Amino acid sequence: MIESTARFVDSRLRLSKFVRRAMNHVFPDHWSFMLGEVALYSFVILIITGVYLAMFFKDTTTPVIYHGSYTPLDGVKMAAAYRSVLHISFDVPAGLLIRQMHHWAADIFLAAIIVHQARIFFTAAYRKPRELNWIVGVTLLILAIANGYFGYSMCGDLLSGAGMRIGYAILLSVPVIGPWLTFIFFGGTVPVAATLPRFFALHIFVVPALIAALIGVHLLIIWRQLHTNFPGPQRTEKLIVGSRLWPSYTLKSLGLFFLVFALIAFLGGLVQIDPVWLYGPYNPVAILPGAQPDWYLGWVEGAMRLFPGVNFRIGGYLVPEVFWPGFFFPAMMFVLLYVWPFIEKLISLDFRPHNVLRWPYQQPFCTALGCATLAFLVVLEFAGADDVVALAGHAHVGALRDLLRILVFVVPAATGAISYLICLWWRRRRASDNAGLNIGNEAMEELTQSQ
Amino acid sequence: MPKGASFASLAFFVAFCVPVVRGQAAPNAGDPLARGQQIFAQHCAECHGDHGQGVSGVVSIAGPNLQAEHNLGQVLTAIEVGPSHMPSFGRILSVPDMKDVAGYVTQKIAVIPMQGGNLSEGGDLYAMYCSACHRTDVRGGALVFDGVNAPNLSHKSRALVAGAIRWGPGPMPNFPPSVLTDQQVASIADYVKYAQRPPAPGGSAMHWYGPVAEGFAAWVIAFLTIGVAMWIERGGKG
């Protein structure tokens, strides 16, 4: 039965040759090569849960009076969008579970992207011929952050409304073109009814389609260029060692999918995320402390909290203080990420293609730079949550902020220096080991792994 | 013992024990509230006002609004010990007298008439007047000025919340009846009581730390997925 169906399809599409080659495609075995798949599978869960949510979400801010099953908000005037989110949370079957899984999947999607990208960075997998795929990956990161922002800004609760206002202020602060940018993205002066349909269209059609397309490109490029491999016996620039796509790699990957799904379902079912009903409907005059963006924008929030208030004019145009930490700084971070493979070429003066990776200790400068950047972002994340940290630690938030203004430079410098020294020490230890045993350390690892 | 000292102690005895005798001889012995009212008029109203509203001007420090002091234990302790500038009545009033006056204070004076509160109206008003410092989940917030953090309200009684709204302790502004009516104060107190233990239909609320805790949890799970990937790569062993 299966065979006859397969023959029927194959006689018309002539797929057998391609499928046979695909099934024999070799992927190298290393746990760190599966991190990108965690991101991919989070995205799959985002699509599945998002489709369900889109059936019930209303993308309008029309004022309505709530009379749903969440009685503490009974009789309260709110946007239709917020009412629909309450409806999803309290009345739609499994609505709250799906909503929470969607939000958790977004948080984990971004975390997985960062971990995956860190792996690429610390093993120098972005080198020729893979610069293009690095650029695709950075674009995916930006799109994922943007879509997360669009998503949690649509709920119409106090927290998301505050986030929308901050995004609006940042875009408005761009010199010269700021007002036009805000009219394109927000449709007027926030809060305005035109924003929500735009965010909705971007969130459920445009950005996911771009992400899906770019993931396709990402994987096709990997397919075409073959996967990189760590240095080791038989692992040369020309040869790839690992498991075939079918059956071993497919089964491994499928197992990972189910486990990612299980972890996200666990969070969605047992850990509350974004309790919009408690924040209340958005009201432009109300605000709350403890208002943080989702973690993947916390570093921008932190930069805005730490940056001193300096406004000045360039050629008659006001450059507000928000512009530097809110727009210029993240934009520069992404530009540096985009051009990093080319900067690395200029530093190492190595223009050859590489299919074998570097261990982090083999590239002390790059590793130190990466660690310092991560430390910088972690300090900024803390700065973005400084009021929560101050409250939990019974500290004075002003003093804490001043301390963080120092730490934001000291911690990355110290982290970079320490990681540089660790790399040097490790390299020396490896060199003496190899000299003494006359055997490659990676080969040793290979032996212990195969036992 | 020198003679002067014994005269002094006699004078002390006369000055401070006579009121006790008078207090014990108070009429209406059967009705503790009426007795409490009488004792309040005798000993407390001079500073705290006839209705506990406090007396401003010369003795402003001695006249905090009793409506913010709410429970029997606190009132009793204040009467007996005499916090700050308030004199101690521990040796002036008998224990039953102190109990009666404290009962009168808590049941008649330290009561903001809070009837007809409406939870959803309270939520709206809370977002307008309170959430900017105390957060919508009433867990308090850190404030940039003065180094004083808005306290966590998750263990405060309705009466204390209402008293604080009217009184404005510390750097908190006060909200007199011209700003919030008694009924609106009752609504806000209802909301605070509700938000102290709100239902968490979505599971663990992670101590209501909001997106910070959510981001932390997401990273814990992300590292768990790395562990899972390592485990799969080892063939599901150990």
Side-chain angles (χ1 to χ4, degrees):
Chain A
M1 176 67 194
I2 295 172
E3 209 177 311
S4 61
T5 313
R7 202 160 294 137
F8 173 85
V9 173
D10 186 49
S11 63
R12 279 151 186 83
L13 298 175
R14 300 250 165 254
L15 283 172
S16 61
K17 208 174 150 196
F18 169 74
V19 171
R20 191 171 301 125
R21 265 181 47 207
M23 277 161 62
N24 286 333
H25 202 89
V26 173
F27 287 94
D29 299 318
H30 193 268
W31 62 267
S32 72
F33 299 159
M34 302 181 93
L35 300 174
E37 282 163 56
V38 176
L40 173 66
Y41 296 141
S42 308
F43 182 68
V44 171
I45 295 166
L46 279 169
I47 296 287
I48 295 170
T49 51
V51 167
Y52 189 71
L53 296 175
M55 295 175 194
F56 304 103
F57 182 75
K58 301 272 179 296
D59 62 328
T60 57
T61 48
T62 317
V64 291
I65 305 292
Y66 181 73
H67 290 299
S69 53
Y70 184 68
T71 47
L73 284 171
D74 190 52
V76 170
K77 199 172 142 187
M78 58 180 63
Y82 185 53
R83 184 173 69 175
S84 72
V85 178
L86 292 175
H87 179 67
I88 288 169
S89 303
F90 292 103
D91 300 307
V92 171
L96 185 58
L97 174 70
I98 299 292
R99 213 195 107 222
Q100 296 204 135
M101 279 179 68
H102 190 70
H103 205 142
W104 280 122
D107 277 12
I108 287 168
F109 180 43
L110 263 301
I113 291 176
I114 296 291
V115 174
H116 170 59
Q117 197 180 14
R119 199 282 292 172
I120 303 289
F121 182 89
F122 286 114
T123 59
Y126 50 77
R127 288 177 300 173
K128 189 178 175 184
R130 294 182 177 77
E131 305 99 319
L132 275 178
N133 226 6
W134 169 266
I135 288 169
V136 172
V138 175
T139 312
L140 278 169
L141 170 68
I142 296 170
L143 288 172
I145 292 176
N147 221 28
Y149 174 75
F150 293 144
Y152 72 70
S153 294
M154 294 197 313
C155 295
D157 60 298
L158 188 53
L159 189 62
S160 71
M164 193 185 272
R165 279 278 279 258
I166 294 173
Y168 170 75
I170 289 173
L171 212 54
L172 190 63
S173 76
V174 179
V176 188
I177 58 167
W180 287 311
L181 285 178
T182 58
F183 270 83
I184 292 170
F185 279 97
F186 293 89
T189 306
V190 169
V192 62
T195 313
L196 206 54
R198 286 173 201 220
F199 275 27
F200 186 58
L202 287 168
H203 181 76
I204 75 162
F205 298 120
V206 182
V207 184
L210 282 173
I211 290 178
L214 283 177
I215 287 176
V217 172
H218 208 59
L219 296 177
L220 276 177
I221 293 177
I222 293 172
W223 193 276
R224 178 97 185 118
Q225 296 181 331
L226 297 181
H227 204 286
T228 50
N229 214 340
F230 279 112
Q234 299 171 23
R235 292 163 185 189
T236 64
E237 294 290 345
K238 301 276 175 205
L239 191 72
I240 190 155
V241 181
S243 1
R244 294 186 192 286
L245 180 66
W246 182 264
S248 54
Y249 198 82
T250 307
L251 289 178
K252 274 201 304 194
S253 195
L254 211 58
L256 186 66
F257 170 70
F258 287 131
L259 282 158
V260 169
F261 200 108
L263 286 170
I264 288 174
F266 163 82
L267 280 174
L270 295 176
V271 187
Q272 188 162 284
I273 187 166
D274 199 13
V276 286
W277 54 90
L278 264 192
Y279 296 128
Y282 178 57
N283 176 348
V285 302
I287 188 58
L288 66 160
Q292 268 74 29
D294 274 16
W295 75 262
Y296 42 86
L297 279 169
W299 54 288
V300 181
E301 171 85 16
M304 292 205 289
R305 290 187 187 200
L306 293 190
F307 197 75
V310 282
N311 297 286
F312 56 86
R313 286 172 184 280
I314 297 177
Y317 285 101
L318 177 71
V319 186
E321 69 209 63
V322 179
F323 171 70
W324 302 107
F327 191 91
F328 182 77
F329 161 63
M332 280 316 292
M333 290 294 280
F334 291 128
V335 168
L336 284 174
L337 276 180
Y338 270 123
V339 300
W340 171 250
F342 308 102
I343 297 178
E344 194 269 346
K345 272 198 228 316
L346 294 179
I347 296 171
S348 66
L349 295 173
D350 179 1
F351 299 94
R352 290 166 301 160
H354 291 279
N355 293 322
V356 175
L357 299 169
R358 278 198 301 234
W359 293 104
Y361 73 86
Q362 290 170 326
Q363 43 161 10
F365 176 74
C366 292
T367 301
L369 188 70
C371 289
T373 308
L374 288 179
F376 181 56
L377 292 173
V378 168
V379 176
L380 286 180
E381 286 280 338
F382 271 98
D386 59 1
D387 61 325
V388 174
V389 175
L391 193 71
H394 303 286
H396 183 343
V397 68
L400 180 68
R401 193 163 295 175
D402 287 340
L403 178 69
L404 283 165
R405 282 181 173 135
I406 300 166
L407 290 183
V408 78
F409 297 109
V410 173
V411 172
T415 312
I418 291 169
S419 47
Y420 190 84
L421 291 175
I422 289 176
C423 286
L424 290 186
W425 168 75
W426 201 303
R427 191 157 66 173
R428 197 168 305 141
R429 214 194 65 172
R430 285 277 158 130
S432 60
D433 280 3
N434 291 351
L437 290 166
N438 199 18
I439 184 170
N441 228 308
E442 290 75 28
M444 286 287 285
E445 260 173 26
E446 185 67 18
L447 282 171
T448 45
Q449 262 181 11
S450 61
Q451 275 163 11
Chain B
M1 191 188 278
K3 234 178 188 164
S6 65
F7 270 114
S9 58
L10 184 66
F12 186 87
F13 180 80
V14 170
F16 283 93
C17 295
V18 168
V20 176
V21 175
R22 252 184 22 209
Q24 277 174 337
N28 298 320
D31 181 4
L33 276 182
R35 271 169 42 83
Q37 184 174 16
Q38 194 174 11
I39 300 164
F40 186 85
Q42 280 172 358
H43 296 286
C44 317
E46 190 182 341
C47 297
H48 293 296
D50 288 342
H51 307 290
Q53 75 275 27
V55 177
S56 58
V58 187
V59 284
S60 61
I61 200 167
N65 192 328
L66 285 182
Q67 290 182 338
E69 303 276 87
H70 65 291
N71 78 38
L72 196 65
Q74 271 178 312
V75 176
L76 263 177
T77 310
I79 294 169
E80 190 177 0
V81 178
S84 183
H85 289 243
M86 177 170 159
S88 152
F89 292 86
R91 295 204 284 178
I92 300 171
L93 297 175
S94 68
V95 171
D97 283 352
M98 287 196 283
K99 277 190 176 159
D100 286 349
V101 77
Y104 173 71
V105 167
T106 51
Q107 289 170 50
K108 289 287 176 191
I109 289 186
V111 177
I112 294 169
M114 291 195 295
Q115 268 100 46
N118 176 311
L119 185 55
S120 45
E121 183 204 37
D124 256 8
L125 290 166
Y126 186 91
M128 190 80 83
Y129 291 103
C130 319
S131 75
C133 295
H134 292 287
R135 229 156 82 186
T136 43
D137 55 18
V138 310
R139 262 66 187 173
L143 306 180
V144 182
F145 51 85
D146 277 359
V148 179
N149 292 341
N152 182 345
L153 305 180
S154 61
H155 299 291
K156 310 287 188 205
S157 67
R158 264 175 116 246
L160 197 68
V161 169
I165 292 170
R166 283 280 185 254
W167 179 29
M172 173 171 158
N174 65 333
F175 300 89
S178 56
V179 178
L180 293 170
T181 64
D182 282 341
Q183 191 261 327
Q184 286 175 322
V185 170
S187 297
I188 294 176
D190 280 355
Y191 175 79
V192 171
K193 283 314 275 184
Y194 168 77
Q196 286 176 347
R197 307 271 177 283
S204 163
M206 292 188 293
H207 300 278
W208 307 99
Y209 276 121
V212 177
E214 292 162 11
F216 192 76
W219 271 96
V220 169
I221 295 295
F223 281 117
L224 210 59
T225 59
I226 297 177
V228 164
M230 293 166 112
W231 178 69
I232 289 177
E233 204 52 73
R234 281 161 154 269
K237 286 177 287 225

